Amino acid sequence: MAAQASRLSIFISRSLPPEAVARARSRADVDFNDVDAPLPRAELLRRLHGRQGLVCVITDAIDEELLAACPELKVAANVAVGFNNIDVAAATRRGVVITNTPDVLTETTADFAWSLLMAAARRVVEADRYVRDGRFTQWENMLLHGGDIHGKTLGIVGFGRIGRAMARRAQGFGMRVLYQDAVAADAATERELRAARADLATLLRESDFVTIHTPLLPETRHLINAEALQRMKKTAYLVNAARGPVVDEAALVQALAEGWIAGAGLDVFEDEPTVHPGLVGLSNVVLAPHIGSASADTRLRMANLAVDNCLAVLEGKAPLTPVNPEVLTRK
Ligand SMILES: NC(=O)c1ccc[n+]([C@@H]2O[C@H](COP(=O)([O-])OP(=O)(O)OC[C@H]3O[C@@H](n4cnc5c(N)ncnc54)[C@H](O)[C@@H]3O)[C@@H](O)[C@H]2O)c1
């Protein structure tokens, strides 16, 4: 479909809930990829060319090359809170507004990270397989012992929106909460969430569960490396529902295989959708295909927020959740 000069024009790079596409269509000329798979790069550039707005997802690299190829672009609205797929500095230099979808996915993602934590500790996936394999022929006292969750210590690395939502859940399980963050939470938040700040080494040493909720940044890449994993308790579990490269996956494979830690729950991978072959053969890790925010309600809220952000910029209004608001004030 060709963009009409008189109308706002948007490209949506990936299949979204139909309500969100209709929302965009009600106010703009829209072309969209209706397949839930990434477009070949050349097709993305061709179909985006000449359009002012892009609604994109984490598998789209919004980089210097794309920005140079699409000089009419005014806004790229990521359907995610994380934006490590976007060269924000390059976009800012070119005056392109970047937006993300914070808040609307916080509780859903924490629900899923908590599910991974529980599934890993109580061996839910192994138990399911055991029953399906026809091995449940008698009750056994010593069968599938896991780790307790209630009353244990939860270590939260990255105490932002999702990290704090994990701390709220921990209260219901009577857990002690430690957190590590580049920024200290205020005293009222620490009191309300009964959370104490610790340095990473202390958190790793004292926690029964370590859950990662930092963005992927140069300084968080491989934050959980072999040294960090060796600091953890042998009985501890690692949960990563943030971004894969925050954990050194090869080191994690070794840690799980050699019993440095008891288990892990992973929603994200270092080179996804490729999963380290060493993980696939291990029974003490629960694996999920990056579905932390994937509830029907939340995926719709995320898509609607991205569409609203995109339309707002094109209509000359302030977007709800800009990543580089300095572009707006410069205009
Ligand atoms: N699995 C999924 O589907 C899924 C869904 C949503 C979000 N995420 C990921 O979760 C991340 C967190 O989301 P959020 O909404 O809580 O973000 P947020 O910005 O509210 O929280 C991130 C926290 O990490 C802290 N941080 C930054 N650098 C750090 C460092 N070097 N060491 C320790 N802490 C550091 C920040 O100060 C902040 O408190 C996102 O960036 C995204 O990558 C994944």
Side-chain angles (χ1 to χ4, degrees):
M1 197 190 309
Q4 294 165 19
S6 56
R7 290 201 75 201
L8 308 176
S9 75
I10 294 177
F11 184 64
I12 300 176
S13 72
R14 189 66 89 90
S15 156
L16 291 184
E19 297 94 318
V21 177
R23 198 177 179 102
R25 283 211 150 132
S26 68
R27 282 151 61 190
D29 172 54
V30 175
D31 181 20
F32 71 105
N33 170 18
D34 57 1
V35 179
D36 201 359
L39 284 175
R41 179 76 170 173
E43 186 179 347
L44 172 65
L45 296 187
R46 181 175 59 72
R47 288 172 73 177
L48 181 60
H49 186 78
R51 296 196 178 258
Q52 305 153 305
L54 170 64
V55 176
C56 54
V57 297
I58 55 167
T59 52
D60 299 315
I62 309 304
D63 54 13
E64 189 66 55
E65 180 202 39
L66 179 143
L67 295 166
C70 304
E72 283 86 2
L73 195 67
K74 291 195 168 72
V75 53
N78 217 30
V79 190
V81 64
F83 45 83
N84 47 287
N85 57 310
I86 300 177
D87 185 341
V88 178
T92 303
R93 275 196 303 276
R94 289 177 178 273
V96 176
V97 179
I98 303 300
T99 67
N100 66 344
T101 60
D103 300 314
V104 293
L105 47 54
T106 297
E107 299 300 330
T108 300
T109 306
D111 283 349
F112 192 71
W114 200 266
S115 307
L116 286 175
L117 181 157
M118 296 193 75
R122 295 307 309 274
R123 305 177 66 175
V124 174
V125 176
E126 283 178 87
D128 177 271
R129 244 181 252 136
Y130 186 86
V131 175
R132 286 175 203 273
D133 289 349
R135 295 165 65 200
F136 184 30
T137 54
Q138 59 174 352
W139 180 83
E140 288 177 47
N141 199 28
M142 301 305 287
L143 183 64
L144 288 169
H145 289 187
D148 267 331
I149 299 159
H150 68 276
K152 297 288 184 169
T153 297
L154 175 66
I156 302 173
V157 180
F159 201 53
R161 288 169 290 243
I162 299 169
R164 291 172 196 209
M166 291 297 279
R168 282 198 295 281
R169 281 155 182 74
Q171 290 191 23
F173 285 75
M175 296 175 91
R176 170 184 178 228
V177 175
L178 298 175
Y179 76 90
Q180 187 262 329
D181 197 293
V183 185
D186 59 52
T189 302
E190 288 190 353
R191 245 191 336 270
E192 185 205 335
L193 298 177
R194 282 183 260 147
R197 191 174 183 210
D199 58 53
L200 186 60
T202 305
L203 180 147
L204 293 167
R205 192 177 60 244
E206 294 192 9
S207 297
D208 300 294
F209 297 90
V210 174
T211 187
I212 313 294
H213 300 287
T214 61
L216 175 59
L217 302 166
E219 57 271 31
T220 59
R221 187 174 290 273
H222 284 197
L223 185 66
I224 305 300
N225 56 14
E227 194 191 338
L229 290 161
Q230 271 162 342
R231 285 183 196 271
M232 288 174 64
K233 296 181 184 179
K234 282 193 181 343
T235 50
Y237 296 83
L238 178 75
V239 173
N240 187 9
R243 287 289 182 264
V246 178
V247 175
D248 178 340
E249 214 161 85
L252 178 60
V253 168
Q254 193 180 355
L256 290 166
E258 296 181 6
W260 305 357
I261 64 173
L266 305 175
D267 185 40
V268 288
F269 301 90
E270 208 173 331
D271 187 27
E272 59 187 56
T274 302
V275 176
H276 193 294
L279 287 174
V280 179
L282 291 170
S283 58
N284 57 345
V285 59
V286 177
L287 309 173
H290 202 150
I291 55 169
S293 66
S295 74
D297 287 347
T298 290
R299 283 286 161 90
L300 176 58
R301 277 195 289 265
M302 291 164 67
N304 280 340
L305 176 54
V307 165
D308 288 350
N309 275 326
C310 189
L311 287 168
V313 173
L314 298 189
E315 290 169 352
K317 298 177 211 148
L320 293 151
T321 50
V323 167
N324 56 352
E326 60 273 29
V327 173
L328 299 160
T329 47
R330 217 199 284 152
K331 282 181 176 173

